[in-house]
Amino acid sequence: MKNRFTLFLIAAFFSIAAFGQNTGYRTVASGSWDDVAIWERTANVYSASPTWAPIDVGLGQTVPSSNHIVYIRSGHTVTTAATKSSLNLIIEAGGTLTPGATLRVGVASSASGGGFVDTLKVDGTLGAPGSQFALELGTSCKSLWITGTGTIQMGRFRPNNNNLNYPGSMALNAGTGAVVIFDKDINFSQSGNYAFSGFNSTPVNDSITLVIPSGRTIVLSDPTSYFHNDLSASATAKGKIVYNVNGTLDLSAHTSTTGGTKLIPLQDAASTITLNVGGLLKLGAYFKADTIATSLGGVYMNINNGGLVDASLTTKLITGTVGAAAASPNIYFVISGNGSLRRTVPADGSRTEFNIGTSLTSYTPVTISSPGPSEVYTVTLKDAFTNPAPAVSLQKEWNISEATAGGNSTDTLRFQWTIADQTNGFTGASPVFVRRWNGSGWDEVQASVSGAGTAASPYVARATGFSAFGLFILSNTGTTPVAFVNVKAFQKQNGI
């Protein structure tokens, strides 16, 4: 992946040069960004031998701004007191930029035709511990690559408003919107507000994808910060936002159980918020993905193969649809491959629901309750059987593991499904058995079944007394099929 990003950067340089974005600035001393004395300037930054000279204010030259490539050189510390912008920003090892206001990178790329990658490369230091200032994607930037070997400690990341209104409508942006790649570990420390979001305050035609690559970690370190700017109360907000978490997004510092991260559909029917987890999403004490009465857009959450949503610290995990009938489908985590959801089951007998399904139309969670001790469980789900199953079985398999094997002896499991999930002749109207794979066959416990099999009143099969876990399926009456792998016949007198 790094080689691909390097090629992107090379392409960016040639594209910028082709469109006249050749003006570069580099520091010659420490000081304020607004002090012309700390900069020298070149009009051919991408030539083999650029010519650098002090800023000449008599020629109308100024300090760096949105169309310029900026270098903070080793040994220099630059501060800002107002919002600053650059096209590309490179901070060398030993260099420091300490913003005292918003910092925007990649502001002017589409002004020259777009289609290339702007770069924030930090081998030194950007920001400071406890920063409350935003790192923003510029309004016209189409692609931003954030990389380097140094340290980034900013308050939060967000796009500037209306990014992208490119090439002019949200429908077109669905395939061509902005992409930001966070190819380095970053700490965001905003307090009392969102610290990592694809939305700013008033998006109109935004289409943005935020990507955390494998091996990279984004941490929201303040206990009062949260993920995503909830604009569900806005009548004008519109956008298509995608979060691809292939590395780690760590929200575990959040401590409030009354508010925090909220993924709520917008009031615009064409707007969507999509969360794809192929790495690790670590939740804090509160996470809500639900609708309100005015919701018309969509929220989609996918745990892909290799992905884990770790909600073991989450006291309030709220998913579903309680709002308008035209809102997005029931909101829950859609599992594919070996994607999984982790939760803590308390030691008080209360029910803990694992909010998962295998598609937008198949919500088949499992709920676990236990008298104790408290235990952490991880659950995955698929529409196929790992081992031969009885002929009359629901085409679902739950894989349940506990952090401490054998830690509980009387756990109660509740499996949910609807008539629409029933195949192979299986029905909730007949006796249902909860079956667990013991390594060579299926142990069974007859379940009590409630519900009518509808979305409003789903079937729930309840069985209790489990102290061992693993693969679980639901079946009607029947025996486990036997597969003969080696059969030999020998003659004995007149028979076989």
Side-chain angles (χ1 to χ4, degrees), residues 111-435:
S112 296
F116 51 84
V117 180
D118 293 336
T119 303
L120 169 60
K121 188 173 189 292
V122 179
D123 292 326
T125 301
L126 172 60
S131 171
Q132 300 295 292
F133 303 112
L135 172 61
E136 287 191 353
L137 176 71
T139 299
S140 298
C141 182
K142 187 167 178 59
S143 299
L144 177 64
W145 176 34
I146 302 175
T147 186
T149 59
T151 301
I152 298 179
Q153 298 185 92
M154 293 291 288
R156 59 182 163 192
F157 178 87
R158 65 189 181 190
N160 194 16
N161 284 324
N162 303 329
N163 187 327
L164 292 174
N165 187 6
Y166 180 106
S169 75
M170 189 174 61
L172 292 173
N173 283 346
T176 60
V179 176
V180 183
I181 300 170
F182 296 84
D183 191 24
K184 73 175 279 64
D185 298 344
I186 303 176
N187 184 306
F188 293 111
S189 53
Q190 184 73 39
S191 61
N193 214 314
Y194 67 91
F196 187 70
S197 180
F199 281 145
N200 197 315
S201 57
T202 54
V204 177
N205 286 331
D206 293 26
S207 177
I208 299 174
T209 298
L210 305 186
V211 181
I212 305 174
S214 176
R216 302 304 186 191
T217 298
I218 302 294
V219 177
L220 276 54
S221 59
D222 190 277
T224 63
S225 69
Y226 52 87
F227 163 54
H228 184 74
N229 185 19
D230 174 31
L231 297 176
S232 58
S234 170
T236 59
K238 299 179 181 180
K240 293 179 182 291
I241 304 301
V242 178
Y243 301 103
N244 288 335
V245 182
N246 298 319
T248 298
L249 177 57
D250 188 350
L251 317 178
S252 62
H254 184 84
T255 56
S256 172
T257 60
T258 59
T261 296
K262 297 178 182 178
L263 302 183
I264 311 279
L266 298 182
Q267 298 182 30
D268 173 70
S271 295
T272 57
I273 302 165
T274 303
L275 172 63
N276 298 314
V277 181
L280 173 61
L281 173 60
K282 298 175 67 175
L283 301 182
Y286 181 97
F287 182 89
K288 181 176 182 179
D290 205 341
T291 59
I292 58 177
T294 54
S295 295
L296 292 175
V299 168
Y300 307 99
M301 303 190 299
N302 304 299
I303 309 178
N304 300 323
N305 188 50
L308 169 63
V309 174
D310 185 349
S312 57
L313 299 178
T314 309
T315 304
K316 295 286 187 179
L317 178 58
I318 305 167
T319 68
T321 298
V322 297
S328 64
N330 187 20
I331 301 171
Y332 48 85
F333 293 103
V334 175
I335 299 286
S336 61
N338 61 3
S340 55
L341 174 62
R342 178 174 294 159
R343 298 201 66 185
T344 298
V345 177
D348 57 5
S350 61
R351 302 178 186 182
T352 299
E353 183 173 333
F354 289 74
N355 323 56
I356 57 176
T358 55
S359 73
L360 292 176
T361 58
S362 181
Y363 182 50
T364 49
V366 61
T367 299
I368 304 176
S369 56
S370 174
S374 176
E375 179 67 287
V376 175
Y377 291 85
T378 304
V379 178
T380 189
L381 172 67
K382 63 180 182 178
D383 291 332
F385 302 124
T386 303
N387 303 294
V392 186
S393 297
L394 184 69
Q395 196 74 27
K396 301 286 180 182
E397 181 181 87
W398 294 263
N399 190 345
I400 305 173
S401 61
E402 54 181 341
T404 304
N408 300 293
S409 59
T410 57
D411 281 5
T412 298
L413 305 181
R414 292 174 173 85
F415 299 91
Q416 179 179 312
W417 76 100
T418 66
I419 292 173
D421 296 307
Q422 296 180 166
T423 58
N424 305 324
F426 176 87
T427 174
S430 297
V432 173
F433 295 84
V434 175
R435 300 182 186 271

Side-chain angles (χ1 to χ4, degrees), residues 35-80:
D35 183 357
V36 296
I38 75 165
W39 301 103
E40 58 182 6
R41 181 181 183 274
T42 182
N44 56 348
V45 68
Y46 292 118
S47 70
S49 300
T51 301
W52 297 92
I55 293 175
D56 190 338
V57 294
L59 296 177
Q61 296 174 0
T62 62
V63 297
S65 60
S66 60
N67 288 329
H68 302 140
I69 295 86
V70 178
Y71 298 86
I72 309 296
R73 302 177 71 190
S74 180
H76 298 159
T77 296
V78 176
T79 59
T80 72

Side-chain angles (χ1 to χ4, degrees), residues 456-469:
S457 178
Y459 285 127
V460 177
R462 176 187 180 276
T464 192
F466 293 98
S467 59
F469 296 87

